[in-house]
């Protein structure tokens, strides 16, 4: 493996001994959630994965290397207020590594690192997608199309256009599967109002899809969508109104590029009086636990 990677001892051992591993992104910590909720989330997700018997493989950039597996102290640094961490999508690796600074990885960058190491399962909150009106499309979509693995999420984030996002995933050849649902989950909301063609209802069934993808040599990832836990689901119309307000503020503030998603998420937390944060944390934990169960099934069935 490239010396540009630095693995924690537990991730190294888990790879060598073929133990279950779940890759976890860190952009959700450094850019997606405010301090100290991000640190609470990091500790909770780490515990969720371990409780199910898998090893969490947080991905980040530091000192010119891609780090896989972070300690509690590392997570504290990443989550620290005003830590000045670069948001790293897959394309940004060479520049951020060469620059020597710290970076947190999005879904696209995390999936890439996981694929380099043969880690098959990753968890996140919501994947990026096609934003309405602006022509902004998340790099997550193209990377899902050309990297293998299984991404457990709660559908595309509520700040994107779900119809355009689902269409784009179809065009890109990315398999989208509902977990215990027939309609596309929409991050903070249970249902984007769009039918899904495929569904599984157990970690074992999800692992079979992942194993079959690998067996066929399909080069794109599977997006497994689990709805937000029911008691934390927000009303779709209410979220749509709040997102429209967030978009107005983003336009007025001239926010562009990779700052758009963090700006919309933090403004959404403000506009919903913190409800979006509680919902986001709940779905992150549920997805980490499910991803760990699937990783365990994959090892069992291997
Ligand atoms: N899920 C969350 N919160 C987040 C993200 C996912 O619950 O902040 C991050 C992921 O890292 C995802 C990124 O890849 O948002 C998408 O950013 P963009 O729209 O700029 O591609
Ligand atoms: Mn973008």
């Amino acid at each position: 493996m490239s010396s540009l990677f630095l693995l924690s001892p537990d991730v190294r051992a888990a790879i060598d001994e073929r133990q279950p591993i779940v890759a976890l992104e860190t952009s959700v910590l450094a850019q997606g959630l405010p301090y100290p909720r991000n640190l609470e989330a990091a500790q909770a997700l780490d515990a969720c994965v371990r409780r199910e018997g898998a090893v969490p493989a947080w991905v980040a950039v530091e000192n010119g290397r891609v780090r896989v597996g972070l300690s509690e102290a590392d997570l504290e640094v990443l989550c620290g207020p005003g830590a000045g961490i670069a948001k790293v999508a897959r394309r940004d690796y060479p520049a951020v590594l060469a620059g020597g600074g710290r970076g947190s990885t999005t879904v696209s960058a995390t999936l890439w690192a996981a694929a380099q190491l043969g880690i098959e399962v990753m968890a996140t909150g919501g994947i990026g997608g096609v934003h309405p009106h602006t022509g902004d499309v998340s790099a997550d979509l193209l990377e899902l199309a050309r990297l293998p693995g299984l991404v457990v999420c709660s559908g595309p984030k509520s700040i994107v256009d779900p119809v355009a996002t689902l269409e784009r995933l179809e065009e890109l050849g990315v398999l989208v599967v509902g977990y215990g649902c027939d309609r596309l989950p929409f991050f903070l909301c249970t249902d984007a109002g769009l039918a899904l063609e495929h569904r599984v209802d157990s970690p074992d069934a999800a692992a079979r899809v992942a194993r079959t993808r690998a067996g066929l040599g399909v080069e794109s990832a599977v997006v497994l969508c689990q709805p937000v836990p029911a008691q934390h689901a927000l009303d779709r119309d209410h979220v749509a109104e709040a997102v429209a307000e967030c978009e107005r503020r983003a336009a007025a503030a001239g926010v562009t590029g990779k700052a758009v998603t963090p700006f919309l998420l933090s403004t959404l937390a403000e506009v919903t009086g913190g409800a979006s944060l509680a919902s986001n944390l709940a779905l992150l934990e549920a997805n980490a636990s499910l991803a760990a169960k699937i990783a365990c099934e994959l090892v069992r069935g291997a």
Side-chain angles (χ1 to χ4, degrees):
M1 197 218 325
S2 160
S3 62
L4 293 171
F5 279 77
L6 177 63
L7 275 53
S8 67
D10 60 346
V11 168
R12 171 84 275 163
I15 290 173
D16 290 346
E17 294 159 23
R18 299 190 180 283
Q19 290 164 7
I21 307 175
V22 174
L24 294 166
E25 60 137 323
T26 47
S27 177
V28 62
L29 303 179
Q31 286 94 26
L33 295 166
Y35 180 83
R37 304 303 290 277
N38 57 354
L39 184 56
E40 289 162 28
Q43 290 161 347
L45 300 192
D46 203 273
C48 285
V49 171
R50 291 187 195 279
R51 196 178 306 129
E52 299 298 340
V55 173
W58 296 95
V59 178
V61 171
E62 190 190 338
N63 262 335
R65 291 168 109 185
V66 181
R67 296 199 47 194
V68 183
L70 299 178
S71 67
E72 181 144 6
D74 295 325
L75 290 169
E76 276 170 26
V77 171
L78 260 182
C79 293
I85 313 274
K87 176 175 168 183
V88 179
R90 197 275 303 151
R91 71 168 187 167
D92 302 310
Y93 274 124
V96 180
L97 266 71
R102 286 184 201 279
S104 58
T105 57
T106 67
V107 168
S108 70
T110 308
L111 195 59
W112 180 83
Q116 302 308 303
L117 301 174
I119 299 172
E120 286 204 54
V121 183
M122 78 161 278
T124 183
I127 58 168
V130 180
H131 291 257
H133 321 304
T134 58
D136 178 356
V137 179
S138 173
D140 288 352
L141 300 188
L142 181 60
E143 300 306 335
L144 286 165
R146 59 183 182 188
L147 292 167
L150 178 105
V151 178
V152 182
C153 65
S154 295
K157 282 196 281 280
S158 311
I159 54 175
V160 304
D161 176 343
V163 177
T165 301
L166 200 56
E167 286 291 340
R168 188 65 66 89
L169 287 168
E170 180 185 1
E171 173 193 347
L172 288 168
V174 177
L175 175 59
V176 181
V177 180
Y179 188 82
C181 61
D182 296 306
R183 287 154 78 86
L184 182 69
F186 198 20
F187 191 50
L188 312 173
C189 311
T190 309
D191 179 1
L194 299 167
L196 290 176
E197 288 174 61
H198 307 286
R199 157 180 186 151
V200 294
D201 290 283
S202 66
D204 173 53
R208 278 205 301 278
V209 173
R211 207 176 294 123
T212 307
R213 182 210 62 74
L216 287 169
V218 171
E219 68 279 15
S220 54
V222 177
V223 176
L224 183 68
C225 302
Q226 167 171 248
V228 56
Q231 67 275 29
H232 291 283
L234 304 187
D235 177 72
R236 183 147 62 97
D237 293 336
H238 180 69
V239 170
E241 269 170 44
V243 168
E245 169 61 19
C246 297
E247 285 168 354
R248 280 191 289 276
R249 292 194 197 179
V255 180
T256 57
K258 57 171 54 164
V260 169
T261 290
F263 180 91
L264 291 175
L265 289 176
S266 68
T267 310
L268 191 59
E270 192 188 316
V271 172
T272 61
S276 70
L277 269 188
S279 172
N280 199 349
L281 293 173
L283 64 87
L284 279 164
E285 288 185 30
N287 293 341
S289 294
L290 176 58
K293 287 179 185 155
I294 295 167
C296 290
E297 287 295 338
L298 272 174
V299 164
R300 231 168 265 144

PDB file of all heavy atoms in Angstrom, residues 25 27-28 32 87 106-107 124-126 131 138-140 157 187 261 265 280, ligand 1:
ATOM      1  N   GLU A  25     -17.015   8.984   7.191  1.00  0.00           N
ATOM      2  CA  GLU A  25     -16.527  10.266   6.671  1.00  0.00           C
ATOM      3  C   GLU A  25     -16.378  11.291   7.797  1.00  0.00           C
ATOM      4  O   GLU A  25     -17.053  11.188   8.831  1.00  0.00           O
ATOM      5  CB  GLU A  25     -17.492  10.796   5.610  1.00  0.00           C
ATOM      6  CG  GLU A  25     -18.895  11.015   6.144  1.00  0.00           C
ATOM      7  CD  GLU A  25     -19.509  12.310   5.672  1.00  0.00           C
ATOM      8  OE1 GLU A  25     -18.772  13.302   5.564  1.00  0.00           O
ATOM      9  OE2 GLU A  25     -20.724  12.313   5.447  1.00  0.00           O
ATOM     10  N   SER A  27     -16.179  14.860   6.962  1.00  0.00           N
ATOM     11  CA  SER A  27     -16.687  16.191   6.589  1.00  0.00           C
ATOM     12  C   SER A  27     -17.955  16.493   7.383  1.00  0.00           C
ATOM     13  O   SER A  27     -18.191  17.640   7.761  1.00  0.00           O
ATOM     14  CB  SER A  27     -16.968  16.264   5.089  1.00  0.00           C
ATOM     15  OG  SER A  27     -17.523  17.513   4.766  1.00  0.00           O
ATOM     16  N   VAL A  28     -18.747  15.443   7.641  1.00  0.00           N
ATOM     17  CA  VAL A  28     -19.943  15.665   8.450  1.00  0.00           C
ATOM     18  C   VAL A  28     -19.573  16.219   9.826  1.00  0.00           C
ATOM     19  O   VAL A  28     -20.313  17.014  10.409  1.00  0.00           O
ATOM     20  CB  VAL A  28     -20.779  14.353   8.562  1.00  0.00           C
ATOM     21  CG1 VAL A  28     -19.996  13.265   9.260  1.00  0.00           C
ATOM     22  CG2 VAL A  28     -22.098  14.598   9.275  1.00  0.00           C
ATOM     23  N   GLY A  32     -20.200  19.666   8.694  1.00  0.00           N
ATOM     24  CA  GLY A  32     -21.646  19.428   8.645  1.00  0.00           C
ATOM     25  C   GLY A  32     -22.385  19.671   9.947  1.00  0.00           C
ATOM     26  O   GLY A  32     -23.600  19.869   9.942  1.00  0.00           O
ATOM     27  N   LYS A  87     -12.240  20.932   3.516  1.00  0.00           N
ATOM     28  CA  LYS A  87     -13.219  19.920   3.078  1.00  0.00           C
ATOM     29  C   LYS A  87     -12.644  19.230   1.848  1.00  0.00           C
ATOM     30  O   LYS A  87     -12.423  19.864   0.816  1.00  0.00           O
ATOM     31  CB  LYS A  87     -14.542  20.618   2.757  1.00  0.00           C
ATOM     32  CG  LYS A  87     -15.626  19.707   2.194  1.00  0.00           C
ATOM     33  CD  LYS A  87     -16.943  20.483   2.026  1.00  0.00           C
ATOM     34  CE  LYS A  87     -17.957  19.704   1.199  1.00  0.00           C
ATOM     35  NZ  LYS A  87     -19.203  20.477   0.984  1.00  0.00           N
ATOM     36  N   THR A 106     -15.247  14.026   2.461  1.00  0.00           N
ATOM     37  CA  THR A 106     -16.666  13.884   2.100  1.00  0.00           C
ATOM     38  C   THR A 106     -16.920  12.411   1.739  1.00  0.00           C
ATOM     39  O   THR A 106     -16.006  11.573   1.760  1.00  0.00           O
ATOM     40  CB  THR A 106     -17.009  14.747   0.889  1.00  0.00           C
ATOM     41  OG1 THR A 106     -16.313  14.217  -0.241  1.00  0.00           O
ATOM     42  CG2 THR A 106     -16.625  16.213   1.091  1.00  0.00           C
ATOM     43  N   VAL A 107     -18.154  12.149   1.341  1.00  0.00           N
ATOM     44  CA  VAL A 107     -18.498  10.792   0.906  1.00  0.00           C
ATOM     45  C   VAL A 107     -17.588  10.361  -0.246  1.00  0.00           C
ATOM     46  O   VAL A 107     -17.043   9.252  -0.246  1.00  0.00           O
ATOM     47  CB  VAL A 107     -19.987  10.719   0.474  1.00  0.00           C
ATOM     48  CG1 VAL A 107     -20.283   9.408  -0.246  1.00  0.00           C
ATOM     49  CG2 VAL A 107     -20.896  10.886   1.690  1.00  0.00           C
ATOM     50  N   THR A 124     -22.869   7.222   6.234  1.00  0.00           N
ATOM     51  CA  THR A 124     -22.941   8.682   6.299  1.00  0.00           C
ATOM     52  C   THR A 124     -24.365   9.071   6.673  1.00  0.00           C
ATOM     53  O   THR A 124     -25.205   8.208   6.957  1.00  0.00           O
ATOM     54  CB  THR A 124     -22.525   9.321   4.957  1.00  0.00           C
ATOM     55  OG1 THR A 124     -22.535  10.755   5.104  1.00  0.00           O
ATOM     56  CG2 THR A 124     -23.466   8.956   3.830  1.00  0.00           C
ATOM     57  N   GLY A 125     -24.637  10.393   6.661  1.00  0.00           N
ATOM     58  CA  GLY A 125     -25.989  10.866   6.942  1.00  0.00           C
ATOM     59  C   GLY A 125     -26.805  10.910   5.666  1.00  0.00           C
ATOM     60  O   GLY A 125     -27.699  10.095   5.433  1.00  0.00           O
ATOM     61  N   GLY A 126     -26.456  11.871   4.818  1.00  0.00           N
ATOM     62  CA  GLY A 126     -27.125  11.981   3.523  1.00  0.00           C
ATOM     63  C   GLY A 126     -26.076  12.201   2.461  1.00  0.00           C
ATOM     64  O   GLY A 126     -25.082  12.887   2.709  1.00  0.00           O
ATOM     65  N   HIS A 131     -28.371  20.202  -6.752  1.00  0.00           N
ATOM     66  CA  HIS A 131     -29.058  21.328  -6.101  1.00  0.00           C
ATOM     67  C   HIS A 131     -29.997  22.000  -7.104  1.00  0.00           C
ATOM     68  O   HIS A 131     -29.686  22.083  -8.293  1.00  0.00           O
ATOM     69  CB  HIS A 131     -28.032  22.347  -5.586  1.00  0.00           C
ATOM     70  CG  HIS A 131     -27.229  21.835  -4.428  1.00  0.00           C
ATOM     71  ND1 HIS A 131     -27.451  22.212  -3.132  1.00  0.00           N
ATOM     72  CD2 HIS A 131     -26.213  20.939  -4.377  1.00  0.00           C
ATOM     73  CE1 HIS A 131     -26.606  21.586  -2.332  1.00  0.00           C
ATOM     74  NE2 HIS A 131     -25.837  20.799  -3.069  1.00  0.00           N
ATOM     75  N   SER A 138     -23.211  17.650  -6.539  1.00  0.00           N
ATOM     76  CA  SER A 138     -22.198  17.099  -5.635  1.00  0.00           C
ATOM     77  C   SER A 138     -21.284  16.111  -6.354  1.00  0.00           C
ATOM     78  O   SER A 138     -21.746  15.284  -7.157  1.00  0.00           O
ATOM     79  CB  SER A 138     -22.873  16.390  -4.470  1.00  0.00           C
ATOM     80  OG  SER A 138     -21.895  15.733  -3.688  1.00  0.00           O
ATOM     81  N   ALA A 139     -19.996  16.186  -6.027  1.00  0.00           N
ATOM     82  CA  ALA A 139     -19.025  15.221  -6.562  1.00  0.00           C
ATOM     83  C   ALA A 139     -19.303  13.815  -6.050  1.00  0.00           C
ATOM     84  O   ALA A 139     -18.800  12.837  -6.605  1.00  0.00           O
ATOM     85  CB  ALA A 139     -17.613  15.646  -6.172  1.00  0.00           C
ATOM     86  N   ASP A 140     -20.128  13.704  -5.020  1.00  0.00           N
ATOM     87  CA  ASP A 140     -20.475  12.368  -4.520  1.00  0.00           C
ATOM     88  C   ASP A 140     -21.043  11.497  -5.647  1.00  0.00           C
ATOM     89  O   ASP A 140     -20.772  10.291  -5.707  1.00  0.00           O
ATOM     90  CB  ASP A 140     -21.550  12.446  -3.414  1.00  0.00           C
ATOM     91  CG  ASP A 140     -21.032  13.012  -2.100  1.00  0.00           C
ATOM     92  OD1 ASP A 140     -19.810  13.216  -1.988  1.00  0.00           O
ATOM     93  OD2 ASP A 140     -21.862  13.248  -1.206  1.00  0.00           O
ATOM     94  N   LYS A 157     -29.404  14.436   0.780  1.00  0.00           N
ATOM     95  CA  LYS A 157     -29.716  15.463   1.791  1.00  0.00           C
ATOM     96  C   LYS A 157     -30.933  16.289   1.378  1.00  0.00           C
ATOM     97  O   LYS A 157     -31.146  16.542   0.190  1.00  0.00           O
ATOM     98  CB  LYS A 157     -28.495  16.358   2.000  1.00  0.00           C
ATOM     99  CG  LYS A 157     -27.465  15.659   2.894  1.00  0.00           C
ATOM    100  CD  LYS A 157     -26.448  16.621   3.425  1.00  0.00           C
ATOM    101  CE  LYS A 157     -25.418  16.917   2.384  1.00  0.00           C
ATOM    102  NZ  LYS A 157     -24.408  15.886   2.266  1.00  0.00           N
ATOM    103  N   PHE A 187     -33.278  12.144   3.807  1.00  0.00           N
ATOM    104  CA  PHE A 187     -32.423  12.683   4.872  1.00  0.00           C
ATOM    105  C   PHE A 187     -33.284  12.953   6.107  1.00  0.00           C
ATOM    106  O   PHE A 187     -33.688  12.004   6.762  1.00  0.00           O
ATOM    107  CB  PHE A 187     -31.703  13.922   4.335  1.00  0.00           C
ATOM    108  CG  PHE A 187     -30.590  14.461   5.202  1.00  0.00           C
ATOM    109  CD1 PHE A 187     -29.590  13.654   5.695  1.00  0.00           C
ATOM    110  CD2 PHE A 187     -30.525  15.820   5.489  1.00  0.00           C
ATOM    111  CE1 PHE A 187     -28.549  14.181   6.461  1.00  0.00           C
ATOM    112  CE2 PHE A 187     -29.486  16.363   6.255  1.00  0.00           C
ATOM    113  CZ  PHE A 187     -28.509  15.541   6.738  1.00  0.00           C
ATOM    114  N   THR A 261     -23.081  23.481   0.781  1.00  0.00           N
ATOM    115  CA  THR A 261     -23.717  22.471   1.632  1.00  0.00           C
ATOM    116  C   THR A 261     -23.540  22.771   3.127  1.00  0.00           C
ATOM    117  O   THR A 261     -24.526  22.770   3.866  1.00  0.00           O
ATOM    118  CB  THR A 261     -23.236  21.056   1.229  1.00  0.00           C
ATOM    119  OG1 THR A 261     -23.801  20.765  -0.059  1.00  0.00           O
ATOM    120  CG2 THR A 261     -23.664  19.993   2.223  1.00  0.00           C
ATOM    121  N   LEU A 265     -26.698  23.574   5.613  1.00  0.00           N
ATOM    122  CA  LEU A 265     -26.977  22.723   6.777  1.00  0.00           C
ATOM    123  C   LEU A 265     -26.981  23.535   8.069  1.00  0.00           C
ATOM    124  O   LEU A 265     -27.841  23.333   8.932  1.00  0.00           O
ATOM    125  CB  LEU A 265     -25.951  21.582   6.868  1.00  0.00           C
ATOM    126  CG  LEU A 265     -26.064  20.484   5.806  1.00  0.00           C
ATOM    127  CD1 LEU A 265     -24.927  19.481   5.951  1.00  0.00           C
ATOM    128  CD2 LEU A 265     -27.412  19.771   5.875  1.00  0.00           C
ATOM    129  N   ASN A 280     -30.593  14.881  12.279  1.00  0.00           N
ATOM    130  CA  ASN A 280     -29.341  14.500  11.612  1.00  0.00           C
ATOM    131  C   ASN A 280     -28.528  13.542  12.492  1.00  0.00           C
ATOM    132  O   ASN A 280     -28.015  12.517  12.026  1.00  0.00           O
ATOM    133  CB  ASN A 280     -28.539  15.773  11.304  1.00  0.00           C
ATOM    134  CG  ASN A 280     -27.474  15.576  10.236  1.00  0.00           C
ATOM    135  OD1 ASN A 280     -27.159  14.470   9.836  1.00  0.00           O
ATOM    136  ND2 ASN A 280     -26.900  16.646   9.769  1.00  0.00           N
TER     137      ASN A 280
HETATM  138  N1  LIG B   1     -24.178  13.784   5.652  1.00  0.00           N
HETATM  139  C1  LIG B   1     -24.558  14.594   6.692  1.00  0.00           C
HETATM  140  N2  LIG B   1     -23.927  15.802   6.790  1.00  0.00           N
HETATM  141  C2  LIG B   1     -22.929  16.193   5.923  1.00  0.00           C
HETATM  142  C3  LIG B   1     -22.542  15.333   4.850  1.00  0.00           C
HETATM  143  C4  LIG B   1     -23.208  14.135   4.765  1.00  0.00           C
HETATM  144  O1  LIG B   1     -25.444  14.245   7.482  1.00  0.00           O
HETATM  145  O2  LIG B   1     -22.372  17.299   6.071  1.00  0.00           O
HETATM  146  C5  LIG B   1     -21.420  15.756   3.896  1.00  0.00           C
HETATM  147  C6  LIG B   1     -20.817  14.534   3.238  1.00  0.00           C
HETATM  148  O3  LIG B   1     -19.428  14.595   3.449  1.00  0.00           O
HETATM  149  C7  LIG B   1     -21.154  14.688   1.777  1.00  0.00           C
HETATM  150  C8  LIG B   1     -21.080  16.168   1.657  1.00  0.00           C
HETATM  151  O4  LIG B   1     -20.267  14.013   0.936  1.00  0.00           O
HETATM  152  O5  LIG B   1     -21.824  16.587   2.798  1.00  0.00           O
HETATM  153  C9  LIG B   1     -21.614  16.670   0.334  1.00  0.00           C
HETATM  154  O6  LIG B   1     -21.100  17.934   0.101  1.00  0.00           O
HETATM  155  P1  LIG B   1     -21.305  18.596  -1.360  1.00  0.00           P
HETATM  156  O7  LIG B   1     -22.778  18.797  -1.483  1.00  0.00           O
HETATM  157  O8  LIG B   1     -20.515  19.890  -1.296  1.00  0.00           O
HETATM  158  O9  LIG B   1     -20.747  17.618  -2.341  1.00  0.00           O
END
